[in-house]
Amino acid sequence: MKENRLYNFSAGPAVLPVSVLETIRDQMLCLPGCGASILEISHRSKQFIAIQEQTKQRLIRLLKIPQTHEVLFLQGGARLQFSMVAMNLLRGSKSPAQYVVTGTWGKYAVGEAKKEGPVEVLYDGADHGYSKLPKPQELRISADAAYLHMTSNETIQGIQFQSDWQVPCPLVIDSSSDFLYRPLDIAKYGIVYACAQKNAGPAGVTVVIIRKDLLDRSGENLPGYLSYRNHAQEDSMWNTPPTFGIYVMGLVAQWLEESVGGLDAMHRRNQDKAQLLYDAMDRHPGMYQGHARLEDRSLMNATFKLPTEELETAFLAEAKKLNLDSLKGHRSVGGIRASIYNAMPIEGVKLLVQLMDLFATKHA
Ligand SMILES: *Cc1c(COP(=O)(O)O)cnc(C)c1O
Protein backbone atom coordinates (compact mmCIF):
# COMPACT_ATOMS: atom_id res chain seq x y z
CA MET A 1 0.00 0.00 0.00
CA LYS A 2 2.67 2.46 1.10
CA GLU A 3 4.62 1.49 -2.03
CA ASN A 4 1.65 2.55 -4.18
CA ARG A 5 1.64 6.09 -2.88
CA LEU A 6 2.33 8.82 -5.43
CA TYR A 7 4.42 11.90 -4.85
CA ASN A 8 1.45 14.21 -4.36
CA PHE A 9 2.10 17.81 -5.41
CA SER A 10 -1.54 18.82 -4.90
CA ALA A 11 -2.18 22.38 -3.72
CA GLY A 12 -4.81 21.23 -1.25
CA PRO A 13 -6.07 19.10 0.30
CA ALA A 14 -2.48 18.00 0.20
CA VAL A 15 0.18 15.55 1.27
CA LEU A 16 0.38 14.46 4.92
CA PRO A 17 3.33 12.76 6.67
CA VAL A 18 3.14 8.98 6.19
CA SER A 19 3.78 8.42 9.90
CA VAL A 20 0.70 10.52 10.70
CA LEU A 21 -1.44 8.44 8.34
CA GLU A 22 -0.08 5.25 9.91
CA THR A 23 -0.99 6.45 13.40
CA ILE A 24 -4.51 7.34 12.24
CA ARG A 25 -4.83 3.84 10.73
CA ASP A 26 -3.49 2.14 13.85
CA GLN A 27 -5.79 4.10 16.16
CA MET A 28 -8.87 4.09 13.95
CA LEU A 29 -10.73 1.25 15.63
CA CYS A 30 -9.74 2.14 19.13
CA LEU A 31 -7.99 5.22 20.49
CA PRO A 32 -5.53 4.14 23.19
CA GLY A 33 -7.35 3.90 26.50
CA CYS A 34 -10.65 4.87 24.95
CA GLY A 35 -12.37 1.75 23.60
CA ALA A 36 -13.76 3.65 20.63
CA SER A 37 -12.64 5.60 17.57
CA ILE A 38 -11.92 9.32 17.46
CA LEU A 39 -14.92 9.53 15.13
CA GLU A 40 -17.26 8.11 17.76
CA ILE A 41 -16.50 9.85 21.04
CA SER A 42 -18.10 12.91 22.57
CA HIS A 43 -16.33 16.20 22.19
CA ARG A 44 -17.03 16.64 25.92
CA SER A 45 -15.35 13.33 26.85
CA LYS A 46 -12.18 13.66 28.89
CA GLN A 47 -10.30 11.83 26.11
CA PHE A 48 -11.27 14.35 23.47
CA ILE A 49 -10.74 17.34 25.73
CA ALA A 50 -7.21 16.03 26.33
CA ILE A 51 -6.62 15.61 22.58
CA GLN A 52 -7.77 19.15 21.82
CA GLU A 53 -5.70 20.58 24.66
CA GLN A 54 -2.64 18.68 23.47
CA THR A 55 -3.07 19.96 19.91
CA LYS A 56 -3.36 23.48 21.27
CA GLN A 57 -0.30 23.12 23.51
CA ARG A 58 1.76 21.73 20.65
CA LEU A 59 0.85 24.73 18.47
CA ILE A 60 1.69 27.05 21.38
CA ARG A 61 5.12 25.42 21.76
CA LEU A 62 5.87 25.26 18.01
CA LEU A 63 4.94 28.89 17.34
CA LYS A 64 5.87 30.20 20.81
CA ILE A 65 2.38 31.70 21.03
CA PRO A 66 2.37 34.24 23.88
CA GLN A 67 -0.32 34.41 26.61
CA THR A 68 -1.72 37.49 24.89
CA HIS A 69 -3.17 35.29 22.16
CA GLU A 70 -5.92 32.64 22.05
CA VAL A 71 -5.98 29.58 19.77
CA LEU A 72 -9.37 28.62 18.27
CA PHE A 73 -10.38 25.58 16.22
CA LEU A 74 -13.23 26.48 13.87
CA GLN A 75 -15.02 25.23 10.77
CA GLY A 76 -15.95 26.89 7.50
CA GLY A 77 -12.45 27.04 6.02
CA ALA A 78 -10.41 30.11 5.25
CA ARG A 79 -13.28 31.47 3.19
CA LEU A 80 -15.45 31.84 6.28
CA GLN A 81 -12.56 33.71 7.90
CA PHE A 82 -12.69 36.24 5.04
CA SER A 83 -16.15 37.06 6.42
CA MET A 84 -15.57 36.51 10.13
CA VAL A 85 -12.54 38.80 10.30
CA ALA A 86 -14.61 41.62 8.83
CA MET A 87 -17.78 40.81 10.81
CA ASN A 88 -15.88 40.87 14.10
CA LEU A 89 -13.35 43.66 13.49
CA LEU A 90 -14.90 45.89 10.84
CA ARG A 91 -18.65 45.97 11.49
CA GLY A 92 -19.45 49.24 13.19
CA SER A 93 -15.89 50.53 12.80
CA LYS A 94 -15.51 54.18 11.76
CA SER A 95 -12.17 53.65 10.08
CA PRO A 96 -11.68 51.34 7.09
CA ALA A 97 -9.88 48.04 7.00
CA GLN A 98 -6.82 48.04 4.76
CA TYR A 99 -6.06 45.16 2.38
CA VAL A 100 -2.89 44.15 0.55
CA VAL A 101 -3.99 42.11 -2.44
CA THR A 102 -1.19 39.94 -3.75
CA GLY A 103 -3.22 37.22 -5.46
CA THR A 104 -6.50 35.42 -5.96
CA TRP A 105 -7.17 34.68 -2.29
CA GLY A 106 -6.52 38.24 -1.18
CA LYS A 107 -8.99 39.44 -3.82
CA TYR A 108 -11.68 37.11 -2.48
CA ALA A 109 -10.97 38.33 1.06
CA VAL A 110 -11.62 41.93 -0.03
CA GLY A 111 -14.88 40.91 -1.66
CA GLU A 112 -16.23 39.52 1.60
CA ALA A 113 -14.94 42.39 3.74
CA LYS A 114 -16.69 44.98 1.55
CA LYS A 115 -20.03 43.52 2.63
CA GLU A 116 -19.25 44.45 6.24
CA GLY A 117 -17.73 47.91 6.10
CA PRO A 118 -15.35 50.35 4.42
CA VAL A 119 -12.31 48.76 2.80
CA GLU A 120 -9.23 50.45 1.42
CA VAL A 121 -7.07 48.42 -0.94
CA LEU A 122 -3.49 49.63 -0.40
CA TYR A 123 -1.99 47.43 -3.05
CA ASP A 124 -3.33 45.23 -5.85
CA GLY A 125 -0.88 43.35 -8.04
CA ALA A 126 -3.45 42.44 -10.73
CA ASP A 127 -1.72 44.45 -13.47
CA HIS A 128 1.36 42.19 -13.36
CA GLY A 129 -0.61 38.99 -12.78
CA TYR A 130 0.26 38.95 -9.06
CA SER A 131 3.90 38.13 -9.70
CA LYS A 132 5.47 40.37 -7.06
CA LEU A 133 5.00 41.63 -3.52
CA PRO A 134 5.12 45.14 -2.05
CA LYS A 135 7.27 46.27 0.88
CA PRO A 136 5.59 47.82 3.95
CA GLN A 137 7.35 51.18 3.47
CA GLU A 138 5.75 51.50 -0.01
CA LEU A 139 2.24 51.42 1.48
CA ARG A 140 0.21 53.99 3.36
CA ILE A 141 -0.62 51.86 6.34
CA SER A 142 -2.77 53.76 8.82
CA ALA A 143 -2.47 53.43 12.59
CA ASP A 144 -6.24 54.00 12.75
CA ALA A 145 -7.15 51.21 10.34
CA ALA A 146 -9.55 48.61 11.73
CA TYR A 147 -6.84 46.16 10.68
CA LEU A 148 -4.45 45.41 7.85
CA HIS A 149 -5.12 42.16 5.97
CA MET A 150 -2.61 40.28 3.88
CA THR A 151 -2.15 36.76 2.48
CA SER A 152 1.19 35.36 3.62
CA ASN A 153 1.36 32.88 0.74
CA GLU A 154 -0.68 33.19 -2.43
CA THR A 155 -1.26 29.54 -3.24
CA ILE A 156 -2.33 30.01 -6.86
CA GLN A 157 0.32 32.49 -8.02
CA GLY A 158 3.14 31.10 -5.84
CA ILE A 159 4.36 34.27 -4.11
CA GLN A 160 5.09 34.47 -0.41
CA PHE A 161 6.08 37.02 2.21
CA GLN A 162 9.15 35.58 3.95
CA SER A 163 9.23 37.81 7.03
CA ASP A 164 6.91 39.28 9.66
CA TRP A 165 5.70 42.83 9.12
CA GLN A 166 5.49 45.30 11.98
CA VAL A 167 2.50 47.56 11.40
CA PRO A 168 0.78 50.16 13.61
CA CYS A 169 -2.69 48.54 13.48
CA PRO A 170 -3.81 44.94 14.07
CA LEU A 171 -2.19 42.76 11.41
CA VAL A 172 -4.37 39.93 10.07
CA ILE A 173 -2.89 37.23 7.85
CA ASP A 174 -4.38 34.43 5.85
CA SER A 175 -1.72 31.78 6.38
CA SER A 176 -3.76 28.93 4.92
CA SER A 177 -1.10 27.58 2.60
CA ASP A 178 1.97 28.19 4.75
CA PHE A 179 0.88 27.72 8.36
CA LEU A 180 3.77 26.15 10.34
CA TYR A 181 6.29 26.41 7.48
CA ARG A 182 8.60 28.59 9.62
CA PRO A 183 8.57 30.25 13.05
CA LEU A 184 6.36 33.36 13.23
CA ASP A 185 6.64 36.26 15.66
CA ILE A 186 3.05 35.92 16.83
CA ALA A 187 3.29 39.07 18.97
CA LYS A 188 3.32 41.10 15.73
CA TYR A 189 -0.06 39.71 14.65
CA GLY A 190 -3.64 40.48 15.58
CA ILE A 191 -4.97 37.37 13.86
CA VAL A 192 -3.28 34.49 12.06
CA TYR A 193 -5.78 32.16 10.43
CA ALA A 194 -5.35 29.04 8.35
CA CYS A 195 -7.49 26.26 7.01
CA ALA A 196 -5.65 23.04 7.75
CA GLN A 197 -5.82 21.18 4.46
CA LYS A 198 -2.77 22.73 2.78
CA ASN A 199 0.05 22.49 5.27
CA ALA A 200 -1.30 21.35 8.63
CA GLY A 201 -3.93 18.62 8.48
CA PRO A 202 -7.15 17.54 6.78
CA ALA A 203 -10.03 19.66 5.44
CA GLY A 204 -12.61 20.58 8.06
CA VAL A 205 -10.64 22.46 10.70
CA THR A 206 -9.47 26.06 10.59
CA VAL A 207 -7.08 27.50 13.16
CA VAL A 208 -7.48 31.08 14.34
CA ILE A 209 -4.80 32.60 16.56
CA ILE A 210 -6.23 35.86 17.87
CA ARG A 211 -4.92 38.56 20.19
CA LYS A 212 -7.23 38.50 23.18
CA ASP A 213 -8.02 42.23 23.27
CA LEU A 214 -9.54 41.93 19.78
CA LEU A 215 -12.23 39.63 21.19
CA ASP A 216 -13.88 42.72 22.70
CA ARG A 217 -14.71 43.91 19.20
CA SER A 218 -17.14 41.04 18.44
CA GLY A 219 -20.59 42.65 18.37
CA GLU A 220 -23.50 41.26 20.40
CA ASN A 221 -25.72 40.94 17.33
CA LEU A 222 -23.48 38.60 15.37
CA PRO A 223 -24.90 35.13 14.68
CA GLY A 224 -23.48 33.04 17.53
CA TYR A 225 -21.18 30.87 15.48
CA LEU A 226 -19.62 33.89 13.78
CA SER A 227 -18.45 35.55 17.00
CA TYR A 228 -14.81 34.96 17.92
CA ARG A 229 -15.67 35.88 21.50
CA ASN A 230 -18.13 32.99 21.81
CA HIS A 231 -15.55 30.49 20.60
CA ALA A 232 -12.88 31.89 22.92
CA GLN A 233 -15.17 31.89 25.95
CA GLU A 234 -16.10 28.25 25.36
CA ASP A 235 -12.58 27.09 24.44
CA SER A 236 -13.67 26.16 20.88
CA MET A 237 -16.60 24.12 22.25
CA TRP A 238 -19.35 26.68 21.65
CA ASN A 239 -20.69 23.98 19.36
CA THR A 240 -19.24 20.61 18.37
CA PRO A 241 -15.74 21.30 17.10
CA PRO A 242 -14.24 19.42 14.12
CA THR A 243 -12.94 16.61 16.32
CA PHE A 244 -11.20 14.47 13.69
CA GLY A 245 -9.42 17.45 12.16
CA ILE A 246 -8.19 18.62 15.56
CA TYR A 247 -6.89 15.13 16.29
CA VAL A 248 -5.01 14.93 12.98
CA MET A 249 -3.63 18.43 13.32
CA GLY A 250 -2.31 17.33 16.73
CA LEU A 251 -0.52 14.40 15.08
CA VAL A 252 0.98 16.73 12.45
CA ALA A 253 2.17 19.04 15.22
CA GLN A 254 3.64 16.06 17.07
CA TRP A 255 5.48 15.06 13.86
CA LEU A 256 6.84 18.60 13.60
CA GLU A 257 8.02 18.59 17.20
CA GLU A 258 9.38 15.08 17.49
CA SER A 259 10.46 13.98 13.98
CA VAL A 260 11.33 17.26 12.30
CA GLY A 261 12.67 19.01 15.41
CA GLY A 262 10.59 22.21 15.40
CA LEU A 263 9.88 25.06 13.03
CA ASP A 264 13.46 26.27 12.55
CA ALA A 265 14.36 22.80 11.29
CA MET A 266 11.17 22.70 9.19
CA HIS A 267 12.06 26.07 7.68
CA ARG A 268 15.53 24.85 6.68
CA ARG A 269 14.00 21.74 5.07
CA ASN A 270 11.55 23.92 3.17
CA GLN A 271 14.35 26.22 2.00
CA ASP A 272 16.40 23.25 0.81
CA LYS A 273 13.49 21.73 -1.11
CA ALA A 274 12.54 25.01 -2.77
CA GLN A 275 16.17 25.76 -3.65
CA LEU A 276 16.49 22.43 -5.49
CA LEU A 277 13.36 23.15 -7.49
CA TYR A 278 14.09 26.79 -8.33
CA ASP A 279 17.70 25.95 -9.25
CA ALA A 280 16.36 23.42 -11.75
CA MET A 281 14.09 26.10 -13.26
CA ASP A 282 16.95 28.57 -13.48
CA ARG A 283 19.32 26.03 -15.10
CA HIS A 284 16.93 25.83 -18.06
CA PRO A 285 15.51 29.32 -18.57
CA GLY A 286 14.56 28.42 -22.16
CA MET A 287 12.24 25.71 -20.87
CA TYR A 288 10.92 26.89 -17.49
CA GLN A 289 9.72 30.44 -16.91
CA GLY A 290 8.81 31.15 -13.31
CA HIS A 291 5.70 33.20 -12.60
CA ALA A 292 7.03 34.95 -9.49
CA ARG A 293 9.68 37.63 -9.24
CA LEU A 294 12.84 35.94 -7.91
CA GLU A 295 12.82 37.43 -4.42
CA ASP A 296 9.09 36.76 -3.95
CA ARG A 297 9.13 33.08 -4.84
CA SER A 298 7.11 30.87 -2.54
CA LEU A 299 8.70 28.01 -0.62
CA MET A 300 5.33 26.24 -0.74
CA ASN A 301 3.99 26.55 -4.30
CA ALA A 302 6.40 26.84 -7.25
CA THR A 303 4.67 28.05 -10.42
CA PHE A 304 6.19 28.00 -13.90
CA LYS A 305 5.35 27.74 -17.56
CA LEU A 306 6.89 25.84 -20.45
CA PRO A 307 7.17 27.47 -23.91
CA THR A 308 4.01 25.79 -25.30
CA GLU A 309 0.94 24.00 -24.03
CA GLU A 310 2.04 20.91 -25.99
CA LEU A 311 5.28 20.80 -24.01
CA GLU A 312 3.34 21.23 -20.75
CA THR A 313 1.09 18.31 -21.66
CA ALA A 314 4.12 16.20 -22.51
CA PHE A 315 5.82 17.22 -19.25
CA LEU A 316 2.77 16.24 -17.20
CA ALA A 317 2.59 12.87 -19.01
CA GLU A 318 6.27 12.18 -18.24
CA ALA A 319 5.68 13.19 -14.63
CA LYS A 320 2.77 10.78 -14.34
CA LYS A 321 5.02 7.90 -15.46
CA LEU A 322 7.32 8.72 -12.52
CA ASN A 323 4.40 8.85 -10.04
CA LEU A 324 4.71 12.64 -9.77
CA ASP A 325 1.08 13.67 -9.34
CA SER A 326 -1.12 16.80 -9.41
CA LEU A 327 1.39 19.14 -11.03
CA LYS A 328 -1.03 20.95 -13.33
CA GLY A 329 -1.23 24.66 -12.56
CA HIS A 330 -4.41 26.40 -11.44
CA ARG A 331 -6.69 27.12 -14.41
CA SER A 332 -6.37 30.88 -13.89
CA VAL A 333 -2.57 30.90 -14.16
CA GLY A 334 -1.92 27.80 -16.29
CA GLY A 335 1.43 26.06 -16.56
CA ILE A 336 2.80 23.89 -13.79
CA ARG A 337 2.40 24.26 -10.04
CA ALA A 338 4.45 22.10 -7.69
CA SER A 339 3.17 22.37 -4.14
CA ILE A 340 5.97 21.28 -1.85
CA TYR A 341 4.42 21.66 1.57
CA ASN A 342 6.03 20.57 4.84
CA ALA A 343 5.10 16.93 4.34
CA MET A 344 6.48 16.60 0.78
CA PRO A 345 9.62 14.49 1.19
CA ILE A 346 12.81 15.80 -0.40
CA GLU A 347 12.94 12.58 -2.48
CA GLY A 348 9.80 13.74 -4.31
CA VAL A 349 11.41 17.07 -5.13
CA LYS A 350 14.62 15.37 -6.27
CA LEU A 351 12.67 13.14 -8.63
CA LEU A 352 10.84 16.14 -10.06
CA VAL A 353 14.17 17.95 -10.54
CA GLN A 354 15.57 14.91 -12.38
CA LEU A 355 12.59 15.01 -14.71
CA MET A 356 13.00 18.76 -15.26
CA ASP A 357 16.67 18.32 -16.23
CA LEU A 358 16.00 15.37 -18.54
CA PHE A 359 12.98 17.00 -20.16
CA ALA A 360 14.82 20.26 -20.81
CA THR A 361 17.77 18.47 -22.38
CA LYS A 362 15.56 16.23 -24.52
CA HIS A 363 13.44 19.10 -25.84
CA ALA A 364 16.16 21.73 -26.11
C1 LIG B 1 -7.09 27.29 0.02
C2 LIG B 1 -7.00 28.68 0.46
C3 LIG B 1 -8.14 29.39 0.91
C4 LIG B 1 -9.53 28.77 0.92
O1 LIG B 1 -9.65 27.82 1.90
P1 LIG B 1 -11.05 27.06 2.13
O2 LIG B 1 -10.73 26.18 3.30
O3 LIG B 1 -11.37 26.32 0.89
O4 LIG B 1 -12.06 28.09 2.45
C5 LIG B 1 -7.97 30.68 1.34
N1 LIG B 1 -6.75 31.27 1.36
C6 LIG B 1 -5.65 30.62 0.93
C7 LIG B 1 -4.34 31.33 0.97
C8 LIG B 1 -5.74 29.31 0.46
O5 LIG B 1 -4.64 28.68 0.04
Side-chain angles (χ1 to χ4, degrees):
M1 293 269 276
K2 196 162 143 184
E3 295 68 41
N4 297 339
R5 281 175 61 81
L6 304 168
Y7 285 113
N8 174 13
F9 292 89
S10 164
V15 59
L16 285 165
V18 170
S19 63
V20 166
L21 299 172
E22 286 172 337
T23 304
I24 298 168
R25 176 198 60 197
D26 294 346
Q27 298 185 342
M28 186 43 78
L29 289 187
C30 184
L31 267 181
C34 191
S37 143
I38 179 68
L39 299 173
E40 302 167 299
I41 61 174
S42 166
H43 60 295
R44 310 251 178 229
S45 64
K46 68 175 192 311
Q47 287 95 345
F48 182 74
I49 290 172
I51 286 172
Q52 180 166 305
E53 187 56 26
Q54 218 172 60
T55 302
K56 188 166 158 178
Q57 291 305 323
R58 287 191 190 282
L59 293 181
I60 289 173
R61 285 198 297 272
L62 281 165
L63 285 164
K64 301 189 169 64
I65 300 173
Q67 300 255 319
T68 46
H69 287 62
E70 188 61 70
V71 180
L72 307 175
F73 299 107
L74 306 182
Q75 305 192 53
R79 286 249 188 166
L80 184 59
Q81 291 313 303
F82 296 168
S83 304
M84 274 179 77
V85 165
M87 286 174 156
N88 284 265
L89 303 189
L90 183 57
R91 257 194 202 182
S93 158
K94 282 188 283 300
S95 41
Q98 299 190 314
Y99 277 70
V100 180
V101 179
T102 53
T104 307
W105 291 114
K107 203 171 67 183
Y108 288 143
V110 168
E112 294 299 318
K114 278 185 174 160
K115 299 175 187 172
E116 300 301 326
V119 168
E120 194 186 337
V121 175
L122 293 186
Y123 174 90
D124 189 326
D127 57 348
H128 50 75
Y130 299 116
S131 59
K132 51 191 186 201
L133 300 170
K135 298 202 167 31
Q137 59 271 22
E138 299 163 9
L139 307 176
R140 294 178 39 187
I141 302 168
S142 162
D144 297 327
Y147 58 85
L148 176 77
H149 183 282
M150 48 204 280
T151 312
S152 55
N153 181 59
E154 281 286 357
T155 323
I156 291 174
Q157 284 78 16
I159 56 177
Q160 183 180 37
F161 291 101
Q162 304 287 347
S163 59
D164 304 303
W165 283 17
Q166 175 90 56
V167 304
C169 63
L171 177 59
V172 177
I173 59 162
D174 174 3
S175 177
S176 290
S177 51
D178 65 2
F179 188 58
L180 302 174
Y181 93 104
R182 69 167 170 96
L184 281 191
D185 184 356
I186 297 290
K188 293 200 169 96
Y189 295 92
I191 295 180
V192 176
Y193 66 87
C195 56
Q197 72 271 17
K198 278 49 182 289
N199 206 29
V205 57
T206 298
V207 187
V208 175
I209 302 169
I210 180 168
R211 212 174 67 207
K212 288 173 183 165
D213 63 286
L214 296 176
L215 296 169
D216 296 337
R217 286 164 63 172
S218 303
E220 292 297 338
N221 292 330
L222 280 176
Y225 188 84
L226 302 179
S227 160
Y228 288 131
R229 189 171 42 211
N230 283 347
H231 292 290
Q233 277 172 355
E234 302 291 331
D235 206 8
S236 301
M237 299 238 185
W238 186 82
N239 72 332
T240 311
T243 50
F244 180 70
I246 293 167
Y247 159 76
V248 177
M249 188 182 268
L251 295 176
V252 170
Q254 180 177 16
W255 171 78
L256 282 167
E257 282 196 296
E258 294 173 9
S259 299
V260 177
L263 294 190
D264 281 311
M266 190 69 249
H267 192 204
R268 282 192 297 277
R269 276 195 200 186
N270 285 326
Q271 286 168 321
D272 290 347
K273 285 188 289 180
Q275 182 88 48
L276 283 175
L277 190 44
Y278 287 120
D279 281 352
M281 276 167 54
D282 296 343
R283 268 198 298 283
H284 311 286
M287 183 59 77
Y288 309 113
Q289 288 101 46
H291 179 77
R293 181 168 67 174
L294 257 59
E295 64 261 41
D296 298 324
R297 286 170 164 178
S298 166
L299 301 191
M300 302 279 101
N301 315 94
T303 48
F304 55 93
K305 283 197 160 123
L306 277 64
T308 65
E309 265 183 49
E310 289 68 36
L311 281 168
E312 283 170 359
T313 307
F315 181 86
L316 290 169
E318 291 296 319
K320 208 175 176 69
K321 285 189 208 154
L322 293 170
N323 285 340
L324 303 169
D325 193 56
S326 300
L327 282 161
K328 198 171 165 58
H330 189 272
R331 59 191 181 281
S332 63
V333 174
I336 308 292
R337 171 172 55 173
S339 298
I340 50 171
Y341 297 122
N342 285 356
M344 169 56 67
I346 195 156
E347 291 75 22
V349 177
K350 284 183 176 162
L351 198 56
L352 175 58
V353 163
Q354 258 180 36
L355 169 65
M356 289 170 75
D357 284 333
L358 273 173
F359 191 90
T361 314
K362 190 167 143 196
H363 296 274

